Amino acid sequence: MVAFVHRAHFIYDPLAHNLLDKVRANDYGAYIEPVAVDAWLAAPEAVLAGAGHVVIAAPLERIRQLLLQSSREGFSVGIVPIAGQQRMARALGLPDGVDAAIEFALRQDSYVMDLVLCNGQVILYRATFGWLPLLDEPEEVGPLRAVLRTLRKLQRIRLFPLKITTAGHPAIRTAASGGMLVTHHRGTLGSNLLKGSKSRRDGAVGLILTAPISVLDYLVFLGQIGLPLRRGRQLPRTIGFIKSARLRVESEQAFDVFIDGARATRTPVVCETLKDAARVNIGPELRDAASSAECVKDTIKTGNLPNEAELLKAPSSRLPFFSYASEDRFRELFVSLRQDAQTSGNYIALMVLSTMLATVGLYLDSAAVIIGAMLLAPLMAPLVSVSMGILRADDKLFTSALKTIAVGVVIALAAAALTTRGFSAKPVTHEMLGRLNPTLLDLAVAVFSGIAAAYAKSHKEIAQNLAGVAIAVALVPPLAVAGIGLGRGDMLFFVKAFLLFLTNMVGITLAAMFTFRVIGFSPVVRNKRGMGVMLVMLALISVPLYAAYTRVVDQILFEQSAGHVRYLVNGKYVIVREAKIVSSRGGLLEVDAVLLVREPLTREDLQRLKEKVQLFSVRPLVVRATIDYGL
Amino acid sequence: MTCKILLSALLIAALLVGCGREDGPAPSGRTVLVGVIAPDYGEASFKGRRGAFGMKQPLRRQGLLDDGARVVLRVQSVRDEADAGVAALEQLAQEPELMAVVSFLNSDAMLAVAPVAERLGVPVLLASATNHELIQGRAYVSQLIFDDRLQAEVSALYIRDELLFDRVAVFADPDNSYSRFLSAEFTRKFTDVGGTVLATVEQGPRGIDYATELESLRSQGSQLLYITLGANAVEAIVKELKAMAWQPQILVREGVLAQLLARGPRPRSQFDGILGTDVYMDDLPVTPAGRNYRSLEREVGESLDTYSVLGYESMLVLAAAMNRCAGQALDRRCVAASVRNTRDLQGVVGPIAIDDNGHALRPVVVNTIQKGRLVYLVRVN
């Protein structure tokens, strides 16, 4: 059974004048003493002397003022939100709609809760300072405008040093782009990020600090707020959280502090909690969560924030778009990359074995044997090291890895060439032919493999998947084919296969560099020259690859359309059942075709057919036809 | 530094653009006329309008012959009838600069126009008349579209060798020379290659009793109906077949599939499965000339169809013929002879040749209707 107050003062702002009649004519038996805001402000104590319950419909600033007065004088407060106060209504669990809000405000059901004061001003739901693009947008700003303003602010976002003092801990020195002081977590942005107490009477104030190391990092953080997919105990990697009965936040440069969306004060800011200070009609969800909370114990979660040593390396200017990283953070990965860049006995042994295995597999035309060779091949690891070397301008890592690759290439070519010399017969198999015409599609395979390789390398829990990457991109078989070309003394054979190897190498290196950069392994200063050289190499390689790609496309189109072609030759109907380009050397197409015909074709018919086939071909061609009289 | 790089890039771009542009011939001040006889009444208006449109397209990019003479089209819009065709040709022939005429009239009308063209010495290129008699014994009349003999031969061989049918029935109109000849030629060829024509159903003055005739054909075991009649007759047959719940294969003459699909708000899918011969289909692989034409059509927001393709190709044939004459005497006699010297000219879907007898050698396309739209099956070269 809901009980209502018998008597209440109603403080109304001129903006909420239209509510006056509704509140006075309430159906709950409450006698209303109307008070205009101005009258109340002129003599607050006198106007509300002896008041038991006060309902207010006014701007946030006045509501905060009333709550502060209630903490001194003990009356309970009901709030009727006016236009533009949706965030406050959500934070206090107030119902939607004017009638429901009036009914709720007049209930004899107030709840004792803490008040948080920052520099003497009450926080209703949050206060912000520093750079918090999108989160610090005032409520009245529309979504589109907020996004545009956010994009502008993102360009200026940076970290700044902070000193935070709590009630029970020594001063914490860190850096952040901004901070958000919250009174509780339910119904606020912080509730998407933080698990734990949602109490409004835990005697503490919370501080969420954002410390992204890149703009991308910050965007991910925004995504985590908007899409609360992770609600574990761990904080998102860009934020820290401090909770205490008293917080003092200092920064070298003074920042504006926005309380409930409005500019209210500047840093340094001191926030403290007035325990059980006010009685307010707030939503039942908040009360349930608050019922057992009593402790005032500091919570310090600053592991994700930069420490003092890292602060020195952090850029004082705006954040880069992609993350930067120090070696300290990823020591394990860099140790592994340095090891991969070394030429070891194992590396040489594996290169020799994998190449010989690949060469034999190629001669056997056995895909299974070749895949075995791919798995043995150790070339992928130094390639990934080369990527990191270029990305971070680490000459030592780059030179060492490049040397290792060069040694591997020479070994592979020599091993394949010598193995070929050992065979008396040197057939050209389908597996070899398949590696003689690299196209842009092969480059695409290399790029995706490079991304996968870098990603797998940076996450040791999935590093075993590098085997799959090695199979996808297959570095050693093209080298083996190139070596076979050397062994046969056929330089065209060598060049074509080596082009495929180069395609793979450049594709992997560039893609891995890009991936490392996105993941966050890039240095503060980019190695523009190294990247430039790689891009030029990519452009150079793309020219023959593009030509080969268009050739393949033409070939597919030719073969597809050939199936729909018929010839009428001296009254005989010739059906082209299948046609395949077997070579296109020097502009001359060699085509293998299967023709279906009912009557026998004479020499004259064949001559006419030849003329017609040539007439309908854009390029000169030679056709080897199998004629099937099977109709 | 940045300015220098930008300037260099602009210079290179300008050079590349300059390199890609071919200089055309300088205008000589002379004008030559190409006449177009384009039907513009009733069902035939489509071919006249689209044909003339196709002819204009090559002139948009290159309106000059190699000797600098400007080519201008003179379009005569007429009924698709003999008298109107003759009058239009006689009027065009009076123009001294006229070098050739392209006709989109039907075969029956052209049977009256062709002797006049021969008498007046006006080269005429037939873009849609397929009767082989039109060019027989004439020096000035040539065909661009395949003739009825080739169409009949391809139809007969397609039925026998692709569909593997050997019992068919033929629908013909004995009062229409085109239908009469096409059905006779088909019957001859199909019989020659071992097939059987079970019956030839002829359209009399009072039409055809489709129910009776089709019932009879069904009882004889006809596997296919070869229809040389127009779209109205094909639609009536399809309707009757549906009522009979009989689904024999149907093969129609050139142009009918497009007409069926262009007819009013009725379900197009009722014509699904019907086969037809034609000169063009949208999803056919095209030659470089075809790609060029497609880009021209896209520029004006149009898409290719049989008659615009024939119009485009007729202009290519005439321009090439007039250019060959430009070195000698550019006159009607030379153009007529030169048209018959067309060899390996790249048409939209393949090469076109016109032999010494004025007979066009070009691919015949077999199309069908699937889910209410045209789809090409094979191209017979």
Side-chain angles (χ1 to χ4, degrees):
Chain A
M1 181 78 181
V2 178
F4 294 92
V5 295
H6 300 296
R7 180 188 178 89
H9 286 73
F10 177 52
I11 300 175
Y12 62 94
D13 186 83
L15 291 171
H17 192 270
N18 59 326
L19 293 176
L20 180 57
D21 291 342
K22 275 199 166 193
V23 175
R24 290 176 76 167
N26 69 83
D27 297 331
Y28 316 110
Y31 173 75
I32 301 298
E33 185 79 44
V35 182
V37 161
D38 290 345
W40 167 56
L41 290 177
E45 282 80 15
V47 168
L48 297 181
H53 186 77
V54 180
V55 175
I56 183 167
L60 295 179
E61 191 187 347
R62 303 298 166 226
I63 297 173
R64 285 198 292 267
Q65 208 170 337
L66 183 70
L67 288 176
L68 204 56
Q69 187 177 348
S70 81
S71 72
R72 292 191 301 268
E73 298 175 14
F75 55 79
S76 57
V77 176
I79 301 169
V80 180
I82 60 174
Q85 292 181 345
Q86 288 88 339
R87 283 184 192 169
M88 184 268 297
R90 210 163 44 240
L92 295 177
L94 305 180
D96 293 333
V98 173
D99 294 335
I102 292 171
E103 188 265 349
F104 193 74
L106 290 173
R107 283 185 187 183
Q108 196 172 34
D109 188 26
S110 60
Y111 179 76
V112 177
M113 61 178 232
D114 302 339
L115 285 184
V116 172
L117 272 64
C118 286
N119 287 359
Q121 299 190 47
V122 173
I123 299 179
L124 282 172
Y125 52 97
R126 72 170 190 208
T128 59
F129 59 89
W131 297 98
L132 287 169
L134 195 63
L135 302 181
D136 58 6
E137 288 302 323
E139 196 164 2
E140 63 271 17
V141 173
L144 183 64
R145 197 160 151 239
V147 169
L148 292 175
R149 283 161 55 108
T150 300
L151 290 176
R152 270 202 303 275
K153 285 183 195 168
L154 280 174
Q155 295 169 7
R156 298 200 299 262
I157 191 169
R158 63 188 177 83
L159 301 185
F160 53 87
L162 285 176
K163 182 183 167 191
I164 298 151
T165 313
T166 65
H169 272 78
I172 300 160
R173 288 183 185 279
T174 185
S177 68
M180 186 189 294
L181 291 148
V182 291
T183 54
H184 72 124
H185 312 142
R186 185 182 291 270
T188 67
L189 290 170
S191 64
N192 284 346
L193 296 169
L194 304 169
K195 260 247 193 255
S197 171
K198 294 177 173 63
S199 172
R200 288 215 64 127
R201 52 186 306 199
D202 60 0
V205 54
L207 171 61
I208 298 168
L209 289 166
T210 60
I213 51 177
S214 67
V215 173
L216 189 65
D217 229 15
Y218 186 78
L219 291 174
V220 171
F221 162 68
L222 287 180
Q224 285 168 333
I225 294 174
L227 302 167
L229 299 176
R230 47 182 294 174
R231 290 200 183 214
R233 296 192 67 80
Q234 273 192 330
L235 287 174
R237 69 174 186 173
T238 50
I239 73 164
F241 180 60
I242 298 170
K243 195 164 108 177
S244 178
R246 187 174 186 281
L247 282 171
R248 178 181 170 82
V249 181
E250 295 169 79
S251 58
E252 285 174 10
Q253 180 195 339
F255 286 99
D256 288 332
V257 177
F258 293 81
I259 294 180
D260 300 329
R263 184 182 284 112
T265 179
R266 286 175 76 79
T267 54
V269 61
V270 177
C271 297
E272 52 196 344
T273 310
L274 300 182
K275 187 99 174 80
D276 295 343
R279 290 192 295 126
V280 185
N281 287 12
I282 60 172
E285 304 91 349
L286 299 172
R287 301 176 189 211
D288 292 342
S291 58
S292 62
E294 280 185 8
C295 76
V296 190
K297 192 177 167 190
D298 282 4
T299 303
I300 313 285
K301 292 181 178 177
T302 54
N304 292 337
L305 304 178
N307 57 33
E308 280 188 68
E310 283 184 320
L311 278 178
L312 296 172
K313 293 184 184 177
S316 57
S317 57
R318 66 188 184 188
L319 290 181
F321 187 80
F322 292 117
S323 306
Y324 65 90
S326 65
E327 286 213 23
D328 295 341
R329 281 187 146 192
F330 304 104
R331 181 169 298 283
E332 215 173 307
L333 172 70
F334 284 99
V335 167
S336 161
L337 286 170
R338 291 218 153 75
Q339 279 172 356
D340 290 345
Q342 300 300 319
T343 312
S344 63
N346 285 342
Y347 173 79
I348 292 172
L350 281 177
M351 270 313 294
V352 172
L353 287 171
S354 63
T355 311
M356 293 180 77
L357 194 58
T359 309
V360 175
L362 286 163
Y363 274 114
L364 283 173
D365 212 12
S366 163
V369 176
I370 296 168
I371 289 172
M374 295 171 191
L375 289 172
L376 275 179
L379 264 177
M380 180 67 94
L383 260 183
V384 175
S385 299
V386 161
S387 310
M388 188 63 96
I390 296 173
L391 185 68
R392 298 184 66 88
D394 186 335
D395 288 344
K396 202 173 156 194
L397 180 64
F398 172 73
T399 316
S400 165
L402 199 63
K403 209 183 288 175
T404 300
I405 292 169
V407 168
V409 169
V410 171
I411 287 171
L413 291 176
L418 289 174
T419 309
T420 298
R421 300 296 294 172
F423 287 121
S424 53
K426 300 176 180 63
V428 177
T429 62
H430 285 102
E431 289 287 349
M432 292 181 197
L433 286 172
R435 291 172 172 84
L436 291 180
N437 290 300
T439 69
L440 279 180
L441 296 177
D442 292 291
L443 181 62
V445 171
V447 166
F448 288 122
S449 302
I451 293 170
Y455 189 78
K457 191 74 189 172
S458 348
H459 297 79
K460 49 183 182 181
E461 65 276 16
I462 55 169
Q464 67 273 18
N465 291 333
L466 275 173
V469 178
I471 291 172
V473 76
L475 284 158
V476 158
L479 265 183
V481 177
I484 289 170
L486 288 179
R488 292 163 58 92
D490 185 339
M491 283 314 285
L492 188 66
F493 204 92
F494 165 76
V495 168
K496 284 181 161 186
F498 201 72
L499 178 64
L500 177 58
F501 171 72
L502 275 182
T503 304
N504 289 341
M505 203 172 86
V506 173
I508 289 173
T509 309
L510 263 175
M513 279 163 65
F514 175 76
T515 309
F516 280 137
R517 184 152 170 70
V518 171
I519 291 176
F521 293 99
S522 59
V524 175
V525 181
R526 280 177 292 166
N527 180 10
K528 290 180 182 168
R529 202 178 66 175
M531 291 184 86
V533 169
M534 289 309 295
L535 285 171
V536 168
M537 280 186 71
L538 178 72
L540 290 176
I541 283 178
S542 295
V543 175
L545 294 182
Y546 177 74
Y549 176 73
T550 52
R551 229 176 15 246
V552 168
V553 171
D554 287 347
Q555 188 167 334
I556 290 169
L557 289 176
F558 174 87
E559 289 172 10
Q560 279 178 350
S561 64
H564 293 274
V565 172
R566 309 291 184 259
Y567 291 95
L568 195 58
V569 180
N570 299 330
K572 294 167 185 169
Y573 193 78
V574 180
I575 297 173
V576 180
R577 196 171 64 181
E578 197 181 306
K580 197 172 177 184
I581 297 175
V582 289
S583 90
S584 58
R585 209 173 291 172
L588 180 71
L589 287 182
E590 281 184 43
V591 178
D592 274 353
V594 178
L595 307 178
L596 272 176
V597 64
R598 184 172 285 213
E599 290 91 0
L601 294 177
T602 63
R603 189 160 287 280
E604 192 189 344
D605 295 334
L606 290 172
Q607 181 58 34
R608 182 68 189 131
L609 176 63
K610 191 177 162 187
E611 286 167 13
K612 279 206 166 184
V613 168
Q614 188 58 73
L615 186 67
F616 280 88
S617 170
V618 179
R619 293 167 62 182
L621 50 79
V622 175
V623 180
R624 290 190 183 81
T626 304
I627 300 174
D628 188 345
Y629 295 103
L631 286 172
Chain B
M1 185 64 184
T2 311
C3 281
K4 280 183 185 173
I5 292 168
L6 280 174
L7 280 173
S8 309
L10 281 171
L11 188 64
I12 291 167
L15 283 172
L16 287 174
V17 170
C19 289
R21 187 175 297 149
E22 289 175 16
D23 288 332
S28 65
R30 185 184 172 190
T31 297
V32 295
L33 292 183
V34 171
V36 188
I37 302 180
D40 71 343
Y41 294 94
E43 280 193 13
S45 64
F46 177 73
K47 59 181 181 177
R49 183 167 44 80
R50 295 297 297 158
F53 174 83
M55 287 185 71
K56 287 173 188 166
Q57 301 315 307
L59 302 180
R60 282 174 50 212
R61 285 201 180 156
Q62 172 62 287
L64 300 177
L65 298 178
D66 290 350
D67 67 353
R70 180 169 299 285
V71 180
V72 175
L73 291 187
R74 183 64 48 85
V75 183
Q76 290 281 342
S77 299
V78 297
R79 287 183 182 278
D80 197 7
E81 292 167 359
D83 293 347
V86 169
L89 183 69
E90 286 174 343
Q91 194 173 342
L92 286 168
Q94 290 171 16
E95 300 272 5
E97 289 86 14
L98 184 94
M99 288 298 135
V101 171
V102 177
S103 167
F104 289 91
L105 296 176
N106 66 41
S107 293
D108 271 355
M110 277 312 299
L111 281 169
V113 177
V116 178
E118 196 68 15
R119 177 168 52 80
L120 296 174
V122 177
V124 174
L125 191 59
L126 305 176
S128 65
T130 52
N131 191 322
H132 77 289
E133 292 172 7
L134 292 168
I135 56 171
Q136 273 180 357
R138 298 196 172 103
Y140 282 87
V141 183
S142 301
Q143 272 171 325
L144 177 68
I145 192 168
F146 47 71
D147 71 11
D148 294 336
R149 278 184 177 159
L150 181 63
Q151 185 176 197
E153 187 174 19
V154 167
S155 301
L157 290 171
Y158 183 84
I159 292 168
R160 189 197 62 163
D161 290 352
E162 298 268 3
L163 302 177
L164 305 179
F165 290 161
D166 55 11
R167 293 191 310 280
V168 305
V170 177
F171 284 75
D173 178 0
D175 294 331
N176 180 298
S177 63
Y178 164 75
S179 169
R180 190 176 60 235
F181 182 82
L182 184 61
S183 55
E185 194 62 21
F186 172 81
T187 303
R188 185 185 66 74
K189 184 65 189 178
F190 194 64
T191 312
D192 280 356
V193 295
T196 305
V197 176
L198 297 170
T200 299
V201 180
E202 294 190 341
Q203 183 171 276
R206 285 187 292 178
I208 299 174
D209 178 357
Y210 289 118
T212 310
E213 296 289 354
L214 289 170
E215 196 56 61
S216 163
L217 293 175
R218 175 155 71 171
S219 65
Q220 293 176 65
S222 181
Q223 296 165 304
L224 181 140
L225 310 179
Y226 183 63
I227 304 171
T228 63
L229 307 174
N232 287 337
V234 175
E235 191 174 358
I237 290 170
V238 169
K239 198 173 169 187
E240 194 58 45
L241 288 173
K242 196 175 176 187
M244 293 169 64
W246 182 34
Q247 295 176 318
Q249 184 69 64
I250 294 174
L251 178 62
V252 299
R253 62 175 169 84
E254 106 282 345
V256 171
L257 290 186
Q259 283 177 19
L260 286 173
L261 294 184
R263 300 164 81 83
R266 59 198 83 184
R268 292 169 158 204
S269 56
Q270 66 177 316
F271 304 120
D272 277 5
I274 299 180
L275 302 166
T277 44
D278 218 322
V279 295
Y280 174 74
M281 239 322 285
D282 253 350
D283 54 352
L284 265 172
V286 294
T287 62
R291 280 199 288 275
N292 187 30
Y293 184 40
R294 273 187 181 162
S295 74
L296 280 167
E297 290 256 1
R298 269 192 222 111
E299 282 175 18
V300 289
E302 297 275 351
S303 58
L304 277 64
D305 57 57
T306 301
Y307 294 106
S308 74
V309 165
L310 285 166
Y312 178 76
E313 288 178 341
S314 61
M315 201 61 237
L316 294 184
V317 167
L318 288 181
M322 288 190 285
N323 277 330
R324 283 193 290 273
C325 288
Q328 313 155 30
L330 178 53
D331 57 24
R332 294 175 186 176
R333 180 190 294 272
C334 179
V335 172
S338 184
V339 164
R340 292 187 170 198
N341 198 23
T342 300
R343 301 287 182 269
D344 303 345
L345 184 126
Q346 279 296 320
V348 172
V349 296
I352 299 168
I354 298 175
D355 67 16
D356 295 341
N357 301 316
H359 176 245
L361 304 170
R362 63 177 303 143
V364 178
V365 180
V366 179
N367 297 327
T368 188
I369 297 176
Q370 279 179 9
K371 294 180 182 172
R373 58 182 292 269
L374 276 174
V375 175
Y376 109 95
L377 295 173
V378 297
R379 186 184 69 192
V380 185
N381 295 330

